[in-house]
Amino acid sequence: MTVRLARPDDRNALSSLHRRLSHPSPELFDAWPAVGTLLVSVDSADHPVGYLLGVGDHLAELVVAPDARREGRATALVEAYHARHSDASLTLLVHPENDGARACYDALGFRHDERVADAFDGEDAIRLVYDG
């Protein structure tokens, strides 16, 4: 499984994945590559089937296409990002009712830190931390 830095010609595939997020960060996504690091997990044809967008130690977006899930892609993306930022714990916010994402992050080894009020357009979030 290959994880690499995103390239400008990945934009259409990444936009399609971005639309799958329940709480996307469109301003941050649109600001890439000027802001943040965007890693992609690609299939055998080098087509992005998942991505992780992070800024410093914060993971802003993580998404994997439904037909590419349960292949270890989210794990590979988080581990690759953490390798680039190994001097810090990684954080992310997840909606309390997003059971699928919460189960994924639990399986990846994230720990619950605190509840964050009004993180998603007036809705609370749970802050998770990954120490690697």
Side-chain angles (χ1 to χ4, degrees):
M1 178 175 331
T2 301
V3 172
R4 62 167 170 77
L5 286 170
R7 300 184 299 241
D9 62 330
D10 294 327
R11 180 64 85 167
N12 287 341
L14 298 176
S15 292
S16 178
L17 289 166
H18 185 256
R19 289 190 288 276
R20 295 190 165 280
L21 292 166
S22 60
H23 294 89
S25 302
E27 299 85 11
L28 185 58
F29 183 79
D30 291 341
W32 173 81
V35 177
T37 301
L38 187 55
L39 298 177
V40 296
S41 176
V42 296
D43 62 15
S44 60
D46 199 41
H47 182 267
V49 294
Y51 76 81
L52 185 154
L53 174 59
V55 178
D57 64 355
H58 183 72
L59 307 182
E61 296 182 346
L62 174 61
V63 61
V64 175
D67 59 345
R69 292 181 182 159
R70 305 222 184 273
E71 297 175 359
R73 293 182 186 279
T75 300
L77 286 163
V78 169
E79 288 175 351
Y81 193 87
H82 189 254
R84 297 173 71 87
H85 301 275
S86 61
D87 58 334
S89 296
L90 303 179
T91 64
L92 61 81
L93 298 177
V94 65
H95 194 279
E97 295 176 13
N98 191 340
D99 294 332
R102 290 180 58 201
C104 175
Y105 296 134
D106 286 346
L108 289 171
F110 282 83
R111 63 181 164 78
H112 293 230
D113 184 42
E114 66 182 345
R115 194 170 190 99
V116 179
D118 299 325
F120 295 122
D121 297 323
E123 296 183 48
D124 290 357
I126 298 172
R127 183 175 182 258
L128 302 177
V129 178
Y130 179 81
D131 298 311

